[in-house]
Amino acid sequence: MKLLEGKTVLVTGASTGIGRAAAIGAAQHGADVVINYHSRDEDAQSCIAAIEAAGGRGLAVKGDVADAATATDFVARAVDAFGGVDVMISNAGICPFHAFLDMPTETVERTFRVNLHGAYYMVQAAARQMVAQGRGGAIVAVSSISALVGGEFQTHYTPTKAGVHSLMQSTAIALGKHGIRCNSVLPGTILTEINKEDLADDGKRRYMEARTPLGRLGQPEDMVGPIVFLASDMAAYVTGAALLVDGGMYVNLQ
Ligand SMILES: NC(=O)C1=CN([C@@H]2O[C@H](COP(=O)(O)OP(=O)(O)OC[C@H]3O[C@@H](n4cnc5c(N)ncnc54)[C@H](OP(=O)(O)O)[C@@H]3O)[C@@H](O)[C@H]2O)C=CC1
Ligand SMILES: C[C@H](O)[C@@H]1OC(=O)[C@H](O)[C@@H]1O
């Protein structure tokens, strides 16, 4: 069953990882897909090729989500190309691991701007378009298990993921009257570019695997079903929710 037939889906940070898998998954479910990315031109183009191979129409728009103008441009380009916006998947993010006491100010500010300000501007731009269209919509934000638990080398990152989760709760209230649903997914540890270096340490990787009751770390494709579900009409009465997708890592104390 195709869950996103006839919908236009926007995905931020879709050149690699979770965003890329979500964009291709949305196309496999019948959507036209517009992707944002920041630097990897070739990866973005190959994502568009995969979207088209799945039968959807695709468009890549380069831009830094930290800049509010990127969000208005992204939405305008989607409307020009495909006539509207039905779903926004706010996913772009960075996690430059660093110790707390000597954390550079620039690293804190950049992480906040990309992960939290970026999500805010993208969600707001999409919501404005959806309200103007008058046919509702769905917003799915990629938060994290890190919204719920801390990380020694993620003191600048975990607050942004808690912020994204909180943003979905507040926008669910603000936008419910317009028929716009807002939910977040909370991935555990998914093998992507963001943690390639961190998990190159065998000990760290084995520790993370051992903490996961399902016995393996996640792949980007593990995120597709939960994201597509929340974006689709199957979740018509789901808003303000947060869905952990972590192989059971969060509940595993001992
Ligand atoms: N992997 C994991 O274990 C987990 C990831 N997450 C979250 O998932 C999301 C996706 O990360 P993931 O797929 O793992 O990592 P990747 O590094 O594979 O993907 C990150 C994506 O975000 C894009 N991006 C980065 N900075 C910007 C920017 N300033 N403007 C626009 N796009 C940007 C990248 O584009 P480009 O490369 O072209 O610059 C890339 O497409 C993040 O929000 C992350 O916090 C949450 C929990 C766990
Ligand atoms: C980057 C981390 O490995 C990843 O991102 C998160 O949000 C979680 O902390 C994961 O472990």
Side-chain angles (χ1 to χ4, degrees):
M1 181 171 50
K2 292 197 170 183
L3 295 180
L4 300 174
E5 198 79 63
K7 295 192 190 290
T8 298
V9 174
L10 277 59
V11 189
T12 71
S15 52
T16 60
I18 294 169
R20 179 191 180 90
I24 296 168
Q28 288 165 343
H29 276 276
D32 295 324
V33 185
V34 187
I35 68 166
N36 150 274
Y37 69 103
H38 186 229
S39 57
R40 296 172 197 255
D41 298 317
E42 277 183 24
D43 287 328
Q45 284 316 316
S46 80
C47 180
I48 295 301
I51 287 165
E52 289 171 351
R57 294 181 292 173
L59 173 70
V61 183
K62 189 172 184 170
D64 182 352
V65 296
D67 178 357
T70 298
T72 48
D73 175 59
F74 185 44
V75 168
R77 295 281 301 277
V79 173
D80 271 1
F82 302 139
V85 175
D86 298 295
V87 175
M88 164 62 79
I89 299 169
S90 174
N91 163 78
I94 56 173
C95 182
F97 285 78
H98 203 288
F100 179 53
L101 294 178
D102 63 350
M103 178 77 72
T105 307
E106 310 77 59
T107 307
V108 176
E109 290 186 354
R110 180 67 182 157
T111 305
F112 277 38
R113 291 204 73 80
V114 172
N115 294 8
L116 187 52
H117 293 62
Y120 192 101
Y121 299 138
M122 281 290 177
V123 168
Q124 186 186 45
R128 284 175 172 158
Q129 176 62 29
M130 289 171 183
V131 170
Q133 290 169 185
R135 59 172 192 257
I139 296 172
V140 182
V142 180
S143 170
S144 171
I145 189 174
S146 296
L148 310 177
V149 289
E152 180 177 358
F153 298 98
Q154 295 176 303
T155 55
H156 52 324
Y157 172 80
T158 61
T160 68
K161 294 284 117 178
V164 165
H165 166 58
S166 170
L167 176 64
M168 287 301 95
Q169 293 181 322
S170 288
T171 55
I173 302 165
L175 298 172
K177 60 172 88 66
H178 300 288
I180 301 168
R181 299 180 298 101
C182 302
N183 295 289
S184 56
V185 288
L186 279 55
T189 297
I190 310 294
L191 296 164
T192 69
E193 294 298 323
I194 208 172
N195 49 27
K196 207 175 215 170
E197 211 180 300
D198 186 49
L199 296 174
D201 174 345
D202 254 12
K204 172 90 184 263
R205 184 175 167 141
R206 278 201 300 273
Y207 167 75
M208 299 302 274
E209 284 166 354
R211 288 205 51 180
T212 310
L214 289 184
R216 65 173 177 87
L217 299 182
Q219 295 293 337
E221 291 69 25
D222 289 315
M223 297 306 305
V224 173
I227 290 173
V228 167
F229 163 69
L230 289 171
S232 79
D233 296 341
M234 290 268 283
Y237 198 56
V238 182
T239 197
L243 178 52
L244 258 174
V245 188
D246 69 344
M249 186 186 274
Y250 176 70
V251 298
N252 186 14
L253 180 60
Q254 52 183 308

